[in-house]
Amino acid sequence: MLSDGVRVVVAGGVEHWVRVVGAHHGGVPLVMLHGGPGESCYSVEQSVGEELAKVSTVIFYDQRGCGRSGKPTEPDTYTMTRLVADLEEIRSALGLDRIIPWGVSFGCLLAAEYAVAHPNNVDRLILHAPPVVGPLHPGLWSLRPNAVDTLLAPAERTELRTQLDGLSDPIQRTLTAIGAISSSEHAAWFFYYDPANMPEPDPAAPEMNMEMALALVGTERPDLADDLAAIMTPALVMIGLWDRHVGFDMARDLADRMPNAVLRIFDRSGHLIDEEQPVEYVEAISTFVRDTAN
């Protein structure tokens, strides 16, 4: 039986910070898989964690090298294969038969890969802003500079296009574009529908693990969408209408591919739905969990 509280679970030789809330609900728990790569689950804990714990058992954990978890001695273990294995070891260590992977942004890739690798251990699937491309899609990294270009002031746009001239590698082009938007006065619009929804900086928030980020950026499998289309797992796909970070079409197209998926669109959100429409976000997950319960 799960109980509320923080514990350490060793997976793949790394100590993982794990927190359980709402254990009294029983049932199949939500397992939150954070974004980045290299971020932590801290911001989602703060935005909707306690409210979701009122309706479901929720498990938060920071991936290897991230947030409050330990760092691996071998940095070459920052791979999707290892992250999937870590999640499986954590599930087993907690004595869980089945889980509901709840991915946010990059965490959707981990949730999806886990569902494909361990379909019998996945009860349902929740994907918030999934960067899952189809085999014929140009890819997130190819589209990112255009998304940034849209928001820049004229002088910034000219400078970005000058910097991009001659760059052909999509990752390098993305990093250049992200650098342009991060220094722009319009930066908040890249992540938020309404910049007023952006929370104040939290000094307690863990720092991003850039080593992990650089190891995993651009390693997505283009055939993952086809693999998801072959499984019958009930899925909730959530996307902000103004999500410029991932893009609306990826989520829509993925929901169309998956045989038992429902698409939920949040019309007053960008990438961070849990911060801009937290009430609706919790309602969407709660309704999905309730209506698809066995």
Side-chain angles (χ1 to χ4, degrees):
M1 293 289 292
L2 285 178
S3 59
D4 286 356
V6 174
R7 66 209 70 191
V8 172
V9 176
V10 177
V14 172
E15 293 186 342
H16 285 72
W17 177 94
V18 177
R19 180 186 175 217
V20 178
V21 289
H24 64 278
H25 294 293
V28 182
L30 302 171
V31 179
M32 196 268 153
L33 307 175
H34 63 75
E39 295 285 357
S40 74
C41 64
Y42 182 85
S43 65
V44 179
E45 279 185 277
Q46 300 301 307
S47 61
V48 295
E50 298 305 320
E51 289 304 310
L52 275 173
K54 294 178 181 178
V55 297
S56 179
T57 303
V58 185
I59 299 171
F60 294 99
Y61 82 94
D62 291 340
Q63 296 154 25
R64 62 173 44 228
C66 298
R68 295 147 290 190
S69 291
K71 291 189 176 182
T73 56
E74 301 295 333
D76 61 1
T77 62
Y78 290 131
T79 67
M80 183 57 71
T81 299
R82 183 62 255 175
L83 293 178
V84 169
D86 287 344
L87 176 54
E88 174 61 4
E89 290 184 37
I90 291 170
R91 180 201 64 80
S92 179
L94 295 176
L96 303 171
D97 292 330
R98 292 162 73 81
I99 61 174
I100 304 173
W102 160 31
V104 175
S105 193
F106 166 79
C108 293
L109 296 172
L110 174 52
E113 292 284 12
Y114 182 85
V116 170
H118 302 282
N120 292 333
N121 299 338
V122 174
D123 191 79
R124 283 153 285 178
L125 190 60
I126 298 174
L127 304 174
H128 164 182
V132 179
V133 301
L136 303 184
H137 195 284
L140 176 66
W141 311 110
S142 295
L143 297 176
R144 187 67 60 74
N146 177 69
V148 168
D149 183 77
T150 303
L151 296 173
L152 296 176
E156 295 170 334
R157 185 174 296 122
T158 298
E159 176 63 20
L160 172 62
R161 294 179 184 183
T162 299
Q163 293 176 350
L164 291 175
D165 188 34
L167 283 180
S168 58
D169 179 72
I171 303 300
Q172 289 301 318
R173 289 174 62 85
T174 288
L175 293 175
T176 300
I178 292 299
I181 194 65
S182 65
S183 60
S184 171
E185 64 178 352
H186 301 130
W189 292 101
F190 189 65
F191 289 98
Y192 292 88
Y193 164 73
D194 182 353
N197 293 326
M198 184 169 62
E200 292 295 323
D202 186 343
E207 293 184 1
M208 185 174 185
N209 181 340
M210 288 304 300
E211 184 177 39
M212 179 184 185
L214 293 175
L216 284 162
V217 162
T219 62
E220 303 87 353
R221 283 199 302 121
D223 53 351
L224 176 58
D226 283 348
D227 288 344
L228 285 175
I231 64 176
M232 300 303 293
T233 306
L236 170 64
V237 180
M238 301 187 291
I239 189 70
L241 183 61
W242 303 94
D243 189 332
R244 302 177 190 275
H245 188 62
V246 166
F248 176 81
D249 63 321
M250 284 194 197
R252 177 202 61 210
D253 295 348
L254 182 64
D256 280 344
R257 286 176 188 267
M258 299 179 69
N260 284 326
V262 58
L263 176 67
R264 176 68 186 270
I265 302 167
F266 296 80
D267 62 356
R268 300 189 312 281
S269 289
H271 190 59
L272 303 171
I273 309 167
D274 56 297
E275 294 181 7
E276 296 210 79
Q277 293 182 259
V279 174
E280 294 90 339
Y281 188 89
V282 171
E283 181 273 332
I285 293 178
S286 301
T287 300
F288 172 71
V289 170
R290 182 189 68 235
D291 290 353
T292 56
N294 294 326

